[in-house]
């Protein structure tokens, strides 16, 4: 995939959203060096997404002076929830009650409540993490009851079907789920879906945050 400049990508996202709507860009910096993140930050990008807790911890420390916004977008094991609760501003991959309890317990009182998205396995893939759509309401209530957490919305990684219609259908189901969630939790404001190859379709379906890495940074290093 050909890379584009930050300004070009921002303009493309704005065009996909259209007048009166906004979709935030989360730059996916998994496996990218701190220097590459700093270079993008110098151009104005503030929010970055990481998949691995320990890798992110090193970058958060190295780039602390830049005051960036860090999102965990990879699967979180409960035994790493203590670190995640301390270093991230957002955790987008909450999918079970045990994780909610652990994150709330370890979120420092001196920090703002941790922003949380519920990850949904919208296409019921065996290889994907995430709760089932029918479990969203109960999990949302559990999160909302925690003072150290702030429920912000939903996140999904739909199956990479070759047929564009199937991908768009998954985005639409997520938007319907999101709309239902806002009826019970009016403060919810974030639907995170769409990546480098499909963010325009995701935005058209209602995404408010897209996670783009390859189009910005190029192919990830292998290690």
């Amino acid at each position: 995939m050909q890379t584009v400049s930050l300004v070009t990508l921002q303009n493309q996202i704005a065009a996909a959203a259209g007048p009166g709507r906004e979709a935030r860009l989360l730059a996916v910096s998994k496996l990218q060096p701190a220097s590459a993140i700093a270079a993008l930050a110098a151009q104005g990008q503030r929010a970055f997404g990481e998949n691995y807790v320990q890798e992110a911890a090193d970058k958060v420390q190295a780039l602390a002076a830049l005051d960036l916004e860090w999102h965990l977008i990879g699967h979180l094991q409960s035994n790493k929830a203590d670190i995640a609760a301390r270093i991230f501003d957002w955790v987008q991959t909450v999918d079970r009650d045990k994780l909610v309890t652990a994150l709330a317990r370890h979120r420092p009182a001196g920090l703002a409540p941790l922003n949380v998205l519920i990850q949904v396995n919208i296409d019921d893939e065996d290889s994907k993490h995430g709760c089932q759509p029918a479990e969203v309401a109960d999990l949302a209530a559990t999160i909302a009851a925690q003072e150290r957490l702030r429920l912000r919305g939903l996140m999904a990684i739909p199956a990479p079907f070759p047929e564009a219609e199937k991908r768009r259908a998954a985005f639409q189901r997520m938007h319907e789920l999101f709309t239902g969630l806002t009826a019970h939790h009016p403060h919810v404001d974030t639907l995170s879906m769409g990546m480098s190859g499909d963010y325009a379709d995701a935005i058209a379906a209602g995404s408010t945050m897209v996670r783009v890495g390859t189009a910005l940074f190029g192919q990830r290093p292998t290690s």
Side-chain angles (χ1 to χ4, degrees), residues 5-29:
S5 70
L6 177 62
V7 171
T8 297
L9 181 58
Q10 289 171 331
N11 288 340
Q12 291 172 346
I13 290 172
R21 285 189 57 211
E22 181 179 356
R24 291 188 66 198
L25 168 62
L26 181 67
V28 178
S29 46

Side-chain angles (χ1 to χ4, degrees), residues 50 53 55-65 70 86-88:
E50 291 284 330
V53 172
E55 178 189 347
D58 295 339
K59 295 177 184 178
V60 170
Q61 182 177 12
L63 300 171
W70 296 96
R86 287 187 279 109
I87 68 171
F88 287 102

Side-chain angles (χ1 to χ4, degrees), residues 27 35 52 55 64 76 79 99 112 114 122 134 136 142 156 158 171 178 182 211 218:
S35 58
Y52 308 115
E55 178 189 347
L76 177 60
N79 63 0
L99 204 51
L114 180 65
I122 193 62
V136 166
T142 300
F171 290 144
F178 177 73
T182 61
R211 309 181 303 272

